[in-house]
Amino acid sequence: MDFSPTPIQFLFEDENRNRIYVKREDLLPFSFGGNKVRIGLEMLADLKQSGCDHMIAYGNARSNLCRVLSNLCARENIPCTILSPADDDGTTVDSFNQRMCLAFGAEVVPCLKTGVRDTVEAALQRSRDMGRKPYYIYGNSLGDGNLVTPVRAYRKVWQELLSQQQAMNLHFDHLFLASGTGMTQAGLICGQLLDGGNTAIHGISIARSQDNGRAHILRYVRAFMQDEVLSPAIDFVDAYALTYGRYTDAMRATAASALRLHGLPLDLTYTGKAYHGMLQELRARVIAGQSILFLHTGGTPLFFDKLGEIVE
Ligand SMILES: *Cc1c(COP(=O)(O)O)cnc(C)c1O
């Protein structure tokens, strides 16, 4: 399955003569698109490469990765188990992603964020007891051991981006994206380290603090580059992060306006936060006359979860 490249579309010129473009990863033509299609494909390839036959994922009810993985597995008849933690406040929400996971036949096992390690180990053991060879997407029960696989996805997209800029006779001065686990941003940073290009990459945190986010990205980059002392510049902005899944009315208004003015769907957990953060940062950093790329990382089902709030 190779759907690249995804379209890059011009959106508008702002009051400081910045030209804003968007790369539509949300239009990847499988399971409602998004960065998790690319990352999920790398994980599925790695499962097969490792000779495994049972996908074990971890993600909450809103997880786009779990939707994509369960869809990929359904298509190939690979059993898929999703360990699904409650939110920090102990609640779980209903969502289109969750419903699709169930519709694709994934086994959803509720768990607590505090007991991840035990939950993962129990799931792996149960799978082995059934005579299967389980593949845990994050490697071992501590969440390391498989840092390289997801990074590969956006390391490849960096190459795609370089060719697209060449074909469009355009150079992006800045790239903004929603950054969560950091797998996507780490991939772009590795691409830049390996293939060059001086676009400034700005991750807008959707949950983590700057220190925590940076540390995770650095861990991915170092693992991928096989260089434990490498220290690339990592811009990870936590000024808009709030708590995972929370948003302000200004973010909601930005999503409403992007939909009205550009027909661009932005969800309120990831891309709406990041797009809003990008517009704020362009002003705060007094960026003018530059070419700006927003990487639309997807989340279409989350957009529809909140449509009622976005358009009020
Ligand atoms: C997962 C996700 C992100 C964040 O990607 P990471 O690689 O986890 O940083 C951004 N946007 C959407 C829509 C996502 O599903």
Side-chain angles (χ1 to χ4, degrees):
M1 213 172 0
D2 185 16
F3 306 130
S4 327
T6 52
I8 293 181
Q9 146 194 26
F10 173 68
L11 280 190
F12 68 98
E13 185 168 312
D14 76 5
E15 68 278 10
N16 294 316
R17 291 172 297 101
N18 292 307
R19 292 175 61 81
I20 319 289
Y21 295 79
V22 58
K23 181 166 169 67
R24 301 289 304 269
E25 294 288 279
D26 60 315
L27 297 183
L28 280 163
F30 180 75
S31 200
F32 301 94
N35 60 342
K36 300 314 179 328
V37 173
R38 303 210 197 237
I39 291 170
L41 282 169
E42 295 295 343
M43 289 172 166
L44 182 68
D46 191 47
L47 171 147
K48 292 178 180 172
Q49 184 79 33
S50 321
C52 296
D53 58 13
H54 182 187
M55 181 75 81
I56 306 211
Y58 174 86
N60 67 31
R62 296 192 208 68
S63 168
N64 292 308
L65 179 59
C66 291
R67 176 195 77 248
V68 168
L69 285 174
S70 56
N71 205 348
L72 286 169
C73 287
R75 197 174 63 141
E76 303 200 23
N77 251 316
I78 297 168
C80 178
T81 296
I82 295 166
L83 311 175
S84 184
D87 281 359
D88 284 338
D89 61 6
T91 59
T92 47
V93 290
D94 187 29
S95 71
F96 288 127
N97 279 337
Q98 175 99 298
R99 280 201 239 172
M100 280 190 269
C101 289
L102 293 167
F104 298 141
E107 173 197 30
V108 177
V109 181
C111 68
L112 293 173
K113 258 192 182 173
T114 46
V116 182
R117 189 176 166 180
D118 291 344
T119 311
V120 172
E121 269 165 18
L124 291 172
Q125 194 51 51
R126 242 180 344 112
S127 172
R128 289 191 199 101
D129 290 346
M130 285 187 285
R132 290 174 174 163
K133 288 191 73 184
Y135 175 88
Y136 179 51
I137 58 169
Y138 295 126
N140 58 31
S141 61
L142 294 173
D144 36 54
N146 194 20
L147 297 170
V148 169
T149 300
V151 175
R152 201 172 286 135
Y154 277 80
R155 180 267 173 277
K156 292 177 185 168
V157 172
W158 186 259
Q159 292 175 309
E160 177 176 316
L161 255 172
L162 289 177
S163 341
Q164 281 182 297
Q165 291 175 85
Q166 202 162 36
M168 295 170 81
N169 195 16
L170 186 70
H171 168 257
F172 293 117
D173 303 292
H174 298 271
L175 181 158
F176 288 86
L177 78 155
S179 209
T181 64
M183 300 184 289
T184 306
Q185 190 172 350
L188 296 171
I189 292 171
C190 290
Q192 185 165 50
L193 289 169
L194 292 164
D195 304 323
N198 58 356
T199 305
I201 301 166
H202 311 284
I204 305 290
S205 172
I206 55 88
R208 283 177 179 160
S209 69
Q210 184 173 77
D211 287 350
N212 188 21
R214 272 208 187 121
H216 277 87
I217 293 170
L218 193 58
R219 199 163 75 107
Y220 279 118
V221 170
R222 286 179 171 171
F224 190 86
M225 302 295 292
Q226 298 186 322
D227 183 343
E228 280 311 307
V229 292
L230 193 66
S231 284
I234 298 173
D235 192 26
F236 186 87
V237 183
D238 65 5
Y240 314 93
L242 309 168
T243 308
Y244 179 79
R246 287 289 173 82
Y247 54 90
T248 63
D249 192 58
M251 290 169 186
R252 185 207 58 74
T254 301
S257 128
L259 183 63
R260 180 184 298 270
L261 297 177
H262 313 298
L264 188 72
L266 297 173
D267 76 84
L268 296 174
T269 300
Y270 295 101
T271 54
K273 238 178 211 186
Y275 186 88
H276 177 78
M278 170 182 77
L279 298 181
Q280 301 296 310
E281 288 300 300
L282 288 176
R283 287 184 205 118
R285 301 185 191 203
V286 207
I287 293 172
Q290 309 270 283
S291 292
I292 314 292
L293 184 68
F294 180 70
L295 188 73
H296 192 313
T297 42
T300 301
L302 298 176
F303 166 80
F304 283 108
D305 280 338
K306 288 285 195 290
L307 183 61
E309 277 112 288
I310 293 170
V311 299
E312 277 192 330

